[in-house]
mmCIF file of all heavy atoms in Angstrom:
data_model
loop_
_atom_site.group_PDB
_atom_site.id
_atom_site.type_symbol
_atom_site.label_atom_id
_atom_site.label_comp_id
_atom_site.label_asym_id
_atom_site.label_seq_id
_atom_site.Cartn_x
_atom_site.Cartn_y
_atom_site.Cartn_z
ATOM 1 N N ALA A 62 22.053 -8.406 8.353
ATOM 2 C CA ALA A 62 22.486 -7.086 7.900
ATOM 3 C C ALA A 62 22.492 -7.022 6.388
ATOM 4 O O ALA A 62 22.870 -7.964 5.702
ATOM 5 C CB ALA A 62 23.883 -6.802 8.440
ATOM 6 N N CYS A 63 22.033 -5.890 5.856
ATOM 7 C CA CYS A 63 21.997 -5.685 4.416
ATOM 8 C C CYS A 63 23.155 -4.807 4.008
ATOM 9 O O CYS A 63 23.677 -4.016 4.781
ATOM 10 C CB CYS A 63 20.685 -5.009 4.008
ATOM 11 S SG CYS A 63 19.228 -5.916 4.530
ATOM 12 N N SER A 64 23.566 -4.936 2.755
ATOM 13 C CA SER A 64 24.597 -4.068 2.228
ATOM 14 C C SER A 64 24.121 -2.637 2.289
ATOM 15 O O SER A 64 22.993 -2.315 1.975
ATOM 16 C CB SER A 64 24.901 -4.443 0.771
ATOM 17 O OG SER A 64 25.654 -3.424 0.160
ATOM 18 N N ALA A 65 25.046 -1.737 2.670
ATOM 19 C CA ALA A 65 24.669 -0.329 2.783
ATOM 20 C C ALA A 65 24.321 0.275 1.436
ATOM 21 O O ALA A 65 23.681 1.306 1.362
ATOM 22 C CB ALA A 65 25.809 0.455 3.432
ATOM 23 N N THR A 66 24.736 -0.377 0.350
ATOM 24 C CA THR A 66 24.479 0.186 -0.975
ATOM 25 C C THR A 66 23.386 -0.554 -1.711
ATOM 26 O O THR A 66 23.067 -0.217 -2.840
ATOM 27 C CB THR A 66 25.760 0.137 -1.830
ATOM 28 O OG1 THR A 66 26.201 -1.223 -1.939
ATOM 29 C CG2 THR A 66 26.858 0.967 -1.193
ATOM 30 N N THR A 67 22.795 -1.581 -1.114
ATOM 31 C CA THR A 67 21.758 -2.348 -1.788
ATOM 32 C C THR A 67 20.417 -2.100 -1.117
ATOM 33 O O THR A 67 20.265 -2.342 0.061
ATOM 34 C CB THR A 67 22.072 -3.858 -1.743
ATOM 35 O OG1 THR A 67 23.343 -4.074 -2.358
ATOM 36 C CG2 THR A 67 21.020 -4.642 -2.483
ATOM 37 N N SER A 68 19.451 -1.626 -1.897
ATOM 38 C CA SER A 68 18.128 -1.362 -1.359
ATOM 39 C C SER A 68 17.129 -1.421 -2.489
ATOM 40 O O SER A 68 17.489 -1.511 -3.657
ATOM 41 C CB SER A 68 18.087 0.023 -0.700
ATOM 42 O OG SER A 68 18.239 1.027 -1.674
ATOM 43 N N ILE A 69 15.869 -1.380 -2.159
ATOM 44 C CA ILE A 69 14.852 -1.328 -3.197
ATOM 45 C C ILE A 69 15.094 -0.122 -4.092
ATOM 46 O O ILE A 69 14.989 -0.182 -5.305
ATOM 47 C CB ILE A 69 13.449 -1.265 -2.562
ATOM 48 C CG1 ILE A 69 13.162 -2.560 -1.801
ATOM 49 C CG2 ILE A 69 12.373 -1.038 -3.605
ATOM 50 C CD1 ILE A 69 11.901 -2.541 -1.019
ATOM 51 N N THR A 70 15.442 1.000 -3.480
ATOM 52 C CA THR A 70 15.690 2.204 -4.262
ATOM 53 C C THR A 70 16.857 1.996 -5.212
ATOM 54 O O THR A 70 16.804 2.353 -6.391
ATOM 55 C CB THR A 70 15.976 3.385 -3.329
ATOM 56 O OG1 THR A 70 14.859 3.588 -2.486
ATOM 57 C CG2 THR A 70 16.212 4.654 -4.130
ATOM 58 N N ASP A 71 17.946 1.422 -4.726
ATOM 59 C CA ASP A 71 19.101 1.217 -5.589
ATOM 60 C C ASP A 71 18.782 0.268 -6.719
ATOM 61 O O ASP A 71 19.226 0.455 -7.856
ATOM 62 C CB ASP A 71 20.274 0.641 -4.775
ATOM 63 C CG ASP A 71 20.818 1.656 -3.783
ATOM 64 O OD1 ASP A 71 20.671 2.862 -4.045
ATOM 65 O OD2 ASP A 71 21.371 1.239 -2.764
ATOM 66 N N LEU A 72 18.015 -0.776 -6.441
ATOM 67 C CA LEU A 72 17.755 -1.794 -7.454
ATOM 68 C C LEU A 72 16.784 -1.321 -8.517
ATOM 69 O O LEU A 72 16.912 -1.657 -9.681
ATOM 70 C CB LEU A 72 17.195 -3.058 -6.783
ATOM 71 C CG LEU A 72 18.194 -3.851 -5.938
ATOM 72 C CD1 LEU A 72 17.463 -4.941 -5.175
ATOM 73 C CD2 LEU A 72 19.283 -4.460 -6.811
ATOM 74 N N PHE A 73 15.796 -0.520 -8.105
ATOM 75 C CA PHE A 73 14.729 -0.213 -9.044
ATOM 76 C C PHE A 73 14.542 1.266 -9.339
ATOM 77 O O PHE A 73 13.636 1.638 -10.061
ATOM 78 C CB PHE A 73 13.399 -0.759 -8.501
ATOM 79 C CG PHE A 73 13.406 -2.236 -8.340
ATOM 80 C CD1 PHE A 73 13.151 -2.791 -7.110
ATOM 81 C CD2 PHE A 73 13.678 -3.068 -9.407
ATOM 82 C CE1 PHE A 73 13.151 -4.160 -6.956
ATOM 83 C CE2 PHE A 73 13.667 -4.435 -9.255
ATOM 84 C CZ PHE A 73 13.418 -4.985 -8.026
ATOM 85 N N GLY A 74 15.394 2.110 -8.768
ATOM 86 C CA GLY A 74 15.267 3.516 -9.070
ATOM 87 C C GLY A 74 14.197 4.192 -8.304
ATOM 88 O O GLY A 74 14.042 5.377 -8.291
ATOM 89 N N MET A 75 14.271 3.383 -8.415
ATOM 90 C CA MET A 75 13.691 4.001 -7.456
ATOM 91 C C MET A 75 14.867 3.592 -6.527
ATOM 92 O O MET A 75 15.907 3.243 -6.864
ATOM 93 C CB MET A 75 12.253 3.512 -7.332
ATOM 94 C CG MET A 75 11.417 3.406 -8.505
ATOM 95 S SD MET A 75 10.097 4.448 -8.630
ATOM 96 C CE MET A 75 9.555 4.889 -7.126
ATOM 97 N N GLN A 76 -1.231 7.294 -1.805
ATOM 98 C CA GLN A 76 -1.944 6.093 -1.732
ATOM 99 C C GLN A 76 -3.180 6.797 -1.739
ATOM 100 O O GLN A 76 -3.317 7.637 -2.215
ATOM 101 C CB GLN A 76 -1.303 5.109 -0.673
ATOM 102 C CG GLN A 76 -0.156 4.180 -0.686
ATOM 103 C CD GLN A 76 0.604 3.507 0.010
ATOM 104 O OE1 GLN A 76 0.629 3.349 0.298
ATOM 105 N NE2 GLN A 76 1.506 2.903 0.157
ATOM 106 N N ARG A 77 -4.956 7.558 -1.412
ATOM 107 C CA ARG A 77 -6.338 7.859 -1.713
ATOM 108 C C ARG A 77 -7.165 7.851 -0.422
ATOM 109 O O ARG A 77 -6.984 7.020 0.441
ATOM 110 C CB ARG A 77 -6.957 6.879 -2.756
ATOM 111 C CG ARG A 77 -6.500 5.459 -2.663
ATOM 112 C CD ARG A 77 -6.945 4.557 -3.808
ATOM 113 N NE ARG A 77 -7.200 3.330 -3.159
ATOM 114 C CZ ARG A 77 -7.234 2.148 -3.653
ATOM 115 N NH1 ARG A 77 -7.075 1.961 -4.929
ATOM 116 N NH2 ARG A 77 -7.467 1.120 -2.943
ATOM 117 N N ASP A 78 -8.109 8.787 -0.085
ATOM 118 C CA ASP A 78 -8.911 8.746 1.152
ATOM 119 C C ASP A 78 -9.944 7.632 1.116
ATOM 120 O O ASP A 78 -10.480 7.244 2.120
ATOM 121 C CB ASP A 78 -9.606 10.083 1.427
ATOM 122 C CG ASP A 78 -10.465 10.548 0.286
ATOM 123 O OD1 ASP A 78 -10.683 9.781 -0.658
ATOM 124 O OD2 ASP A 78 -10.908 11.685 0.345
ATOM 125 N N GLY A 79 -10.201 7.076 -0.036
ATOM 126 C CA GLY A 79 -11.043 5.907 -0.168
ATOM 127 C C GLY A 79 -10.842 5.340 -1.545
ATOM 128 O O GLY A 79 -10.669 6.078 -2.499
ATOM 129 N N ALA A 80 -10.793 4.019 -1.678
ATOM 130 C CA ALA A 80 -10.633 3.424 -2.995
ATOM 131 C C ALA A 80 -11.842 3.773 -3.843
ATOM 132 O O ALA A 80 -12.919 4.053 -3.324
ATOM 133 C CB ALA A 80 -10.501 1.908 -2.869
ATOM 134 N N PRO A 81 -11.670 3.789 -5.166
ATOM 135 C CA PRO A 81 -12.821 4.120 -6.007
ATOM 136 C C PRO A 81 -13.992 3.189 -5.732
ATOM 137 O O PRO A 81 -13.829 1.977 -5.667
ATOM 138 C CB PRO A 81 -12.273 3.919 -7.416
ATOM 139 C CG PRO A 81 -10.804 4.074 -7.271
ATOM 140 C CD PRO A 81 -10.470 3.533 -5.916
ATOM 141 N N VAL A 82 -15.167 3.757 -5.561
ATOM 142 C CA VAL A 82 -16.384 2.975 -5.371
ATOM 143 C C VAL A 82 -17.205 3.092 -6.639
ATOM 144 O O VAL A 82 -17.582 4.187 -7.040
ATOM 145 C CB VAL A 82 -17.186 3.486 -4.162
ATOM 146 C CG1 VAL A 82 -18.464 2.684 -4.002
ATOM 147 C CG2 VAL A 82 -16.340 3.410 -2.895
ATOM 148 N N GLU A 83 -17.455 1.982 -7.310
ATOM 149 C CA GLU A 83 -18.144 2.025 -8.588
ATOM 150 C C GLU A 83 -19.608 2.385 -8.376
ATOM 151 O O GLU A 83 -20.317 1.755 -7.603
ATOM 152 C CB GLU A 83 -18.034 0.676 -9.300
ATOM 153 C CG GLU A 83 -18.573 0.727 -10.710
ATOM 154 C CD GLU A 83 -18.281 -0.551 -11.462
ATOM 155 O OE1 GLU A 83 -17.886 -1.531 -10.829
ATOM 156 O OE2 GLU A 83 -18.457 -0.561 -12.677
ATOM 157 N N THR A 84 -20.052 3.412 -9.065
ATOM 158 C CA THR A 84 -21.442 3.841 -9.021
ATOM 159 C C THR A 84 -21.940 4.012 -10.444
ATOM 160 O O THR A 84 -21.280 4.644 -11.259
ATOM 161 C CB THR A 84 -21.576 5.182 -8.274
ATOM 162 O OG1 THR A 84 -21.019 5.018 -6.966
ATOM 163 C CG2 THR A 84 -23.022 5.599 -8.144
ATOM 164 N N ALA A 85 -23.070 3.439 -10.764
ATOM 165 C CA ALA A 85 -23.568 3.476 -12.130
ATOM 166 C C ALA A 85 -23.744 4.913 -12.604
ATOM 167 O O ALA A 85 -24.266 5.763 -11.888
ATOM 168 C CB ALA A 85 -24.905 2.737 -12.211
ATOM 169 N N ASN A 86 -23.300 5.159 -13.843
ATOM 170 C CA ASN A 86 -23.483 6.445 -14.519
ATOM 171 C C ASN A 86 -22.849 7.616 -13.773
ATOM 172 O O ASN A 86 -23.292 8.742 -13.879
ATOM 173 C CB ASN A 86 -24.978 6.742 -14.716
ATOM 174 C CG ASN A 86 -25.659 5.662 -15.524
ATOM 175 O OD1 ASN A 86 -25.091 5.191 -16.517
ATOM 176 N ND2 ASN A 86 -26.843 5.278 -15.119
ATOM 177 N N ASP A 87 -21.800 7.335 -13.012
ATOM 178 C CA ASP A 87 -21.087 8.399 -12.321
ATOM 179 C C ASP A 87 -19.604 8.249 -12.597
ATOM 180 O O ASP A 87 -18.906 7.535 -11.894
ATOM 181 C CB ASP A 87 -21.346 8.310 -10.810
ATOM 182 C CG ASP A 87 -20.657 9.429 -10.050
ATOM 183 O OD1 ASP A 87 -20.042 10.294 -10.712
ATOM 184 O OD2 ASP A 87 -20.747 9.439 -8.816
ATOM 185 N N PRO A 88 -19.091 8.896 -13.660
ATOM 186 C CA PRO A 88 -17.689 8.720 -14.029
ATOM 187 C C PRO A 88 -16.736 9.033 -12.888
ATOM 188 O O PRO A 88 -15.722 8.379 -12.726
ATOM 189 C CB PRO A 88 -17.511 9.702 -15.199
ATOM 190 C CG PRO A 88 -18.881 9.912 -15.739
ATOM 191 C CD PRO A 88 -19.802 9.803 -14.563
ATOM 192 N N GLY A 89 -17.073 10.035 -12.077
ATOM 193 C CA GLY A 89 -16.164 10.403 -11.005
ATOM 194 C C GLY A 89 -15.975 9.306 -9.983
ATOM 195 O O GLY A 89 -14.931 9.197 -9.366
ATOM 196 N N ALA A 90 -16.997 8.480 -9.803
ATOM 197 C CA ALA A 90 -16.891 7.407 -8.803
ATOM 198 C C ALA A 90 -15.945 6.323 -9.248
ATOM 199 O O ALA A 90 -15.454 5.554 -8.438
ATOM 200 C CB ALA A 90 -18.270 6.802 -8.542
ATOM 201 N N ASN A 91 -15.668 6.235 -10.553
ATOM 202 C CA ASN A 91 -14.798 5.184 -11.055
ATOM 203 C C ASN A 91 -13.356 5.628 -11.191
ATOM 204 O O ASN A 91 -12.502 4.868 -11.614
ATOM 205 C CB ASN A 91 -15.283 4.716 -12.430
ATOM 206 C CG ASN A 91 -16.626 4.029 -12.339
ATOM 207 O OD1 ASN A 91 -16.925 3.431 -11.320
ATOM 208 N ND2 ASN A 91 -17.428 4.126 -13.384
ATOM 209 N N ALA A 92 -13.075 6.868 -10.874
ATOM 210 C CA ALA A 92 -11.755 7.415 -11.154
ATOM 211 C C ALA A 92 -10.716 6.896 -10.178
ATOM 212 O O ALA A 92 -10.969 6.778 -8.989
ATOM 213 C CB ALA A 92 -11.804 8.935 -11.091
ATOM 214 N N THR A 93 -9.522 6.628 -10.691
ATOM 215 C CA THR A 93 -8.403 6.292 -9.833
ATOM 216 C C THR A 93 -7.944 7.563 -9.143
ATOM 217 O O THR A 93 -7.640 8.547 -9.796
ATOM 218 C CB THR A 93 -7.251 5.700 -10.650
ATOM 219 O OG1 THR A 93 -7.704 4.515 -11.282
ATOM 220 C CG2 THR A 93 -6.073 5.367 -9.759
ATOM 221 N N ARG A 94 -7.867 7.535 -7.827
ATOM 222 C CA ARG A 94 -7.610 8.758 -7.086
ATOM 223 C C ARG A 94 -6.118 8.962 -6.828
ATOM 224 O O ARG A 94 -5.293 8.167 -7.206
ATOM 225 C CB ARG A 94 -8.390 8.734 -5.776
ATOM 226 C CG ARG A 94 -9.900 8.578 -6.004
ATOM 227 C CD ARG A 94 -10.665 8.756 -4.723
ATOM 228 N NE ARG A 94 -12.073 8.471 -4.932
ATOM 229 C CZ ARG A 94 -12.961 8.535 -3.972
ATOM 230 N NH1 ARG A 94 -12.623 8.868 -2.764
ATOM 231 N NH2 ARG A 94 -14.232 8.250 -4.226
ATOM 232 N N ALA A 95 -5.807 10.048 -6.170
ATOM 233 C CA ALA A 95 -4.423 10.454 -5.972
ATOM 234 C C ALA A 95 -3.682 9.484 -5.061
ATOM 235 O O ALA A 95 -4.288 8.742 -4.301
ATOM 236 C CB ALA A 95 -4.391 11.866 -5.391
ATOM 237 N N PRO A 96 -2.342 9.501 -5.095
ATOM 238 C CA PRO A 96 -1.540 8.481 -4.405
ATOM 239 C C PRO A 96 -1.780 8.377 -2.911
ATOM 240 O O PRO A 96 -1.642 7.313 -2.347
ATOM 241 C CB PRO A 96 -0.105 8.933 -4.686
ATOM 242 C CG PRO A 96 -0.190 9.735 -5.917
ATOM 243 C CD PRO A 96 -1.530 10.399 -5.883
ATOM 244 N N ASP A 97 -2.142 9.463 -2.259
ATOM 245 C CA ASP A 97 -2.331 9.401 -0.817
ATOM 246 C C ASP A 97 -3.546 8.572 -0.441
ATOM 247 O O ASP A 97 -3.813 8.342 0.716
ATOM 248 C CB ASP A 97 -2.488 10.822 -0.270
ATOM 249 C CG ASP A 97 -2.462 10.846 1.253
ATOM 250 O OD1 ASP A 97 -1.625 10.142 1.831
ATOM 251 O OD2 ASP A 97 -3.288 11.557 1.845
#
Side-chain angles (χ1 to χ4, degrees):
C63 304
S64 166
T66 59
T67 302
S68 67
I69 295 173
T70 300
D71 292 334
L72 289 172
F73 298 122
M75 313 247 332
Q76 280 165 27
R77 36 189 217 202
D78 56 9
V82 179
E83 188 172 13
T84 303
N86 301 318
D87 182 3
N91 294 330
T93 299
R94 302 188 186 179
D97 189 43

